[in-house]
Amino acid sequence: MSTVVLGVGGGIAAYKAAEILRRFTESGHRVRVVPTTAALKFVGAPTWEALSGQPVSTDVFTSVPEVPHVAIGQGADLVVVAPATADLLAKAAHGLADDLLTNTLLTARCPIVMAPAMHTEMWEHPATQANVETLRARGVVVLEPAVGRLTGKDTGKGRLPEPADIVETAMAVLERGEARTADLAGLRVLVSAGGTREYLDPVRYLGNRSSGRQGVALAQAAAARGAKVTLVAANVAVPVPAGVDVVRVETTAELYDAMLERSGAADAVVMAAAPADFRPASVATTKIKKNDEGTVPDVTLVQNPDILRALVDERQDRRMPLIVGFAAETGDETAGVLEHARAKLARKGCDLLVVNDVSDGKAFDRPENEVVLLGKDGTVTEVPLGAKLTVAHAIWDSVAQRVDKGDSWPPRV
Ligand code: CTP
């Protein structure tokens, strides 16, 4: 059983922290809630005490003999702050300690996850952005807020991610343990996931079997290790993780634009999506009808651009961003899986190739995966069969070793 400290800031999303608390206790963790005074204006202390079975206070002068301002932080295995207001982020970034929560943040030596929630203007303000950068550079996992309905009629970026998603990411941080927390802090990553749809008419498309699970796991793993993640999601069949920026696309052309537009601002780009290699030459604007004669339409296909190659061709600096491709391969009479993969690595020009053996339909829409990582430098790393999240961590380990060698990372803060 781990001890989780749940810090609650004074924002309207404080009520959602009750569900975060419940999810932690239901999975067997001891939770100590430390709200700010402002948080208690939204949800009262009895709620936190009843749900956690622990006393609740906001200041350092309650239960003084237990020295709570030091003991709570020291005794924590994980601190989660949700919602983290602009004020709390500022205090944490500058080391202020004027209440129990900010004292706890200074004394904690365990992983810290902060889930900001505020209005878009406050989130985008250079002061808040600078504080977030400072915290990330220090190893705090600061999740990106979600986009959606805010207090009142506003919508935009600044919404607290769903409690279930925050807990999932926080658990992933907890499982990795203290030593390697936030080792990707400051790294900006761009990940594509899913399979594209190439429309024939407004209702029909050519698609593929990619569920997006591996790409989504990559985004989740990177966020849990402190990276700033943008996930370009092509029709993914699984929920997207908390704390990442999500750009939704459908077609290969949209995926191409979304990736090329953002790759220049990334330190690492991972093309886990399965773009369709071909699309119908034209898309009918109205639904294609059957006819009584039974004649079928001729569909002419044209080739789609290769996004991975375009990403490699477009990069200004040969090292940045580091580019990772995927290869779904089967062996045949001419060569084995790895030989085909090596040829593909050379053809695509990327830095790392994640090779999936897809003989017998392996890897598609399954929770587990088994891959080989081929480096441009000739390295071969076998990643044994495991959860796609575990495989994702192995891929990031490999990326971290490579980007580490450059001069522009660790972070530019
Ligand atoms: N890819 C891409 N753009 C495409 C097709 C593929 O960026 N139009 C990327 C995939 O995201 C993946 C890598 O290229 O990272 C390998 O995809 P794969 O389909 O295995 O390679 P192909 O180039 O299509 O080679 P082939 O089908 O001949 O094996």
Side-chain angles (χ1 to χ4, degrees), residues 271 273 275-277 304-308 325-329 344 347-348:
M271 266 306 291
D277 287 328
N304 271 327
D306 187 319
I307 303 171
L308 186 56
F326 270 65
E329 299 290 348
K344 186 168 287 180
R347 232 177 18 245
K348 301 263 184 181

Side-chain angles (χ1 to χ4, degrees), residues 357-381:
D357 180 347
V358 290
S359 325
D360 315 322
K362 279 192 280 186
F364 287 112
D365 207 11
R366 290 188 175 181
E368 295 195 318
N369 204 0
E370 179 180 8
V371 300
V372 176
L373 308 180
L374 291 187
K376 191 164 66 177
D377 47 9
T379 52
V380 181
T381 314

